Amino acid sequence: MALDDAITLLLRVSEEEDVRNESLRKLAKRVVETLGCLALAIVHAGALIKQKLYDLEDYCEAYSRNRQRLFGHQTIPAQIGYKYMVYTTWEVSVEMIRKLSSNNPTNSSCWSSKNVESALDLLNIFSVLHMDNIPVEILERAWKQWKIESSGGKLTDWTKSHQPRVLCQDYAGDWDPLPVREAVLLLSSFSLIHINDSSHHISLHPLVHAWVRDRLTQSERAGCWITAVSILSASLGVPAGDGGYQHGRSLIPHINSCLEFIDYGLLFAEGAGTIERLQMVGKFVVVYRSNGNYTKAFEILIKALELCKKTYAAHEEISLQLERELAKVYDRLGTYSKAVDHQERVLQISLKLLGKEHPTTLDAKSWLAFFYNQIGRDSEALEMQKNVFHTSERVLGDKHYDTLGIMQGLAISYSKSGQYQAAIKLQERELHLRKNLFHYEDYAILVSMINLASFYSRMGRYKESLKLNEETLQLRKKILGDEHPDTLRSMNNLAFSYQKLNRTQEALELNEETLQLSKKILGNEHPRTLDSMHNLASSYQDLNRTQEALELNEETLQLRKRILGDEHPNTLVSMSNLALSYQDLNRTQEALGLDEETLQLSKNILGDEHPYTLVFMNNLASSYQKLNRTQEALELDEETLQLSKKILGDEHPNTLVSMSNLALSYQYLNQTQEALELNEETLQLRKKILGDEHPDTLLSMSNTARCYDKVGRNEEALGLLTEAMDASRRTLGEEHPNTICYASNLDILKGRSS
């Protein structure tokens, strides 16, 4: 009933003098909201209040303290017109359902005893789940999964013993929805459940839900719990691309309800059904991890692995599955070194149990390579991914789901190694295959699109990257929801595309929104929240809001030091970003000190030849330039270039950055000929590797034009700078800072020529 009517009913039954008194109505509102506006419960509560057993102020506390006793009071006076106390009324409904059985000689209905008992079984199972939006399809999905297991001889006696009556159908035939529909109809006809006509989901009134739970004995509670989690777990066993992600997401409230309903001890107890229960845990962990509930996934994984250790010999394969999930959860929690440690353990177990060419072993190697990339071991990662991909292609074929996942990993490793063209080529191939083989909204397709957008961006194909990022964000919002952690990542990616195309205000607004959501969903100290802070600081810098950028970079650095540690690579990146903020505010000495500290830490932690170390060397050389310590800048630029060629190769984009920086040092020292030759070489390599219109290529054209002007080759300077400006207008737009800079320099050159 309506809230206002419910309040009035409570006050009238309790015989309060003024039913319009605002203070009384405020107290009554708490009571009726607690009772879910159920008329029978409200009348019962009003009678108790009238007889002074409780008052409006303490009724809610009494309800939460002892609901069963409260609804057991038989105090409703006859003149109110209710014969039964609240719980007794529903008990009468159950008795009436039982009397419908065709075995009852006084019954003329067509309901069989099996119909009746199936319906009451379902009511008990529903009480273990969350009271709202129970998808009826979980029953069909569970039955179909059990049929698959039965045909493969994998349906265990323990599982069979905990199946509800309504699903005890012959697996030799097809799914028959009629028994479930009849059971649901029977419960609905007595108003014990409500069926949503549009979604076909089931809901129970909060008091009905509580009553069903309260009437169960301890052994019945355990039995219903096992049946409920068995159904949920089996319903998650759907083929890839069959709506499995959305289904899993819809089950999270029900999984939570099950885990809260009974002590964890039953889930992780030794004895009969241990294997089955551990398999359930594995499925629930995947659902939690896929939906960003990393802490919950970690919590139940640790408990499950403790049980595995006690009975390791019997549960090696399950232990392998759970260790795989734990490595992924560690990665999502930002503890990358632990992810590597656990994944190395996973690989050893998989090699021992399954052999080197088993799909699970290949998957373990691919994930280990990915985690190597996370900690900067890029060359090892690339070689490992290449070997895994070739093996998977040979053993499973290039259209196998696992092979496609490994292709994604190899494309990422190519990108991490600076081989962007190879990354794009492979990722485009993988995305094409996946779209042809699976549903367009398959989760892995979204990951492929995101990766491809990132690779396009690295190649300066910003408009293509923007289009993909916009499409991916809309799909993620539709499939995952606005507040899923992966949706936030897509928002970050789109903001980055806006920044690259000089849509700085849009980038700022999106970064601000993403940070707010990340704090709300993941918490203030989650590694991804810190990434969002970093991105917002970058937007502030783009808009010359240098003081705000400085303050946010300082906060991010302090949080990363505390959460990730002083030696985490992301902490070093934050130190470098803060140094850049110091430079923007002309605090050049502080910038220098921080750049020197960052470089030293990177050498100590990551090594002299880690790619991050080379980036930090470039940054320190830039600080030297700002302080007119040009000789030191030159020497450091020369060292950085030599190391880049040795570690990354002559044609890695970062090597070309080092070449460009060294050419700039030559210019500062008036070594114009050396600067010209190096700029020309850099320009040719950038055209070859990045393409004629990549922003870095256009920058090299501008730098080379400047050198031409210095040596009196004015016509070549004009032609090259004009080409750079025209290309920048086409690719970046008229208002982009680079386009404006090229146009300004061109006007200066033309002025000199005239």
Side-chain angles (χ1 to χ4, degrees), residues 545-591:
R545 292 166 62 172
T546 50
Q547 187 60 38
E548 290 165 282
L550 172 70
E551 291 168 3
L552 195 52
N553 276 325
E554 286 176 330
E555 183 184 356
T556 306
L557 175 57
Q558 291 307 312
L559 285 169
R560 278 182 165 165
K561 281 185 173 182
R562 181 161 59 81
I563 298 160
L564 304 178
D566 290 350
E567 300 184 349
H568 191 282
N570 286 2
T571 302
L572 303 186
V573 170
S574 280
M575 292 173 69
S576 183
N577 291 340
L578 181 56
L580 181 62
S581 284
Y582 286 152
Q583 283 194 353
D584 288 341
L585 289 164
N586 294 316
R587 293 164 61 175
T588 49
Q589 199 60 47
E590 290 169 277

Side-chain angles (χ1 to χ4, degrees), residues 628-694:
N628 293 318
R629 293 165 61 173
T630 50
Q631 188 60 39
E632 291 168 280
L634 174 68
E635 292 169 3
L636 190 54
D637 279 332
E638 288 175 331
E639 182 186 357
T640 306
L641 178 56
Q642 287 176 349
L643 283 170
S644 288
K645 287 183 174 181
K646 173 187 172 185
I647 299 160
L648 305 175
D650 291 352
E651 298 187 350
H652 190 285
N654 287 4
T655 301
L656 305 188
V657 170
S658 293
M659 291 173 68
S660 183
N661 290 344
L662 179 56
L664 187 62
S665 282
Y666 285 148
Q667 282 182 262
Y668 280 132
L669 288 166
N670 293 317
Q671 296 176 223
T672 310
Q673 190 58 39
E674 290 96 326
L676 174 60
E677 292 170 3
L678 194 53
N679 274 322
E680 286 179 326
E681 182 184 358
T682 306
L683 175 57
Q684 292 309 310
L685 284 169
R686 278 180 165 163
K687 283 185 174 182
K688 172 187 172 185
I689 298 160
L690 303 177
D692 289 350
E693 296 192 344
H694 189 282

Side-chain angles (χ1 to χ4, degrees), residues 91 216 256 282 320 527 644 754:
E91 289 291 350
L216 296 174
N256 288 341
L320 171 62
S644 288
S754 62

Side-chain angles (χ1 to χ4, degrees), residues 163 181 191 231 274 282 286 378 415 424 464 474 598 616 633 644-645 658 705 712:
Q163 292 174 339
R181 291 176 183 172
S191 300
I231 291 170
T274 300
V286 171
D378 296 331
S415 174
I424 287 173
E464 293 167 274
Q474 290 307 310
T598 306
F616 299 142
S644 288
K645 287 183 174 181
S658 293

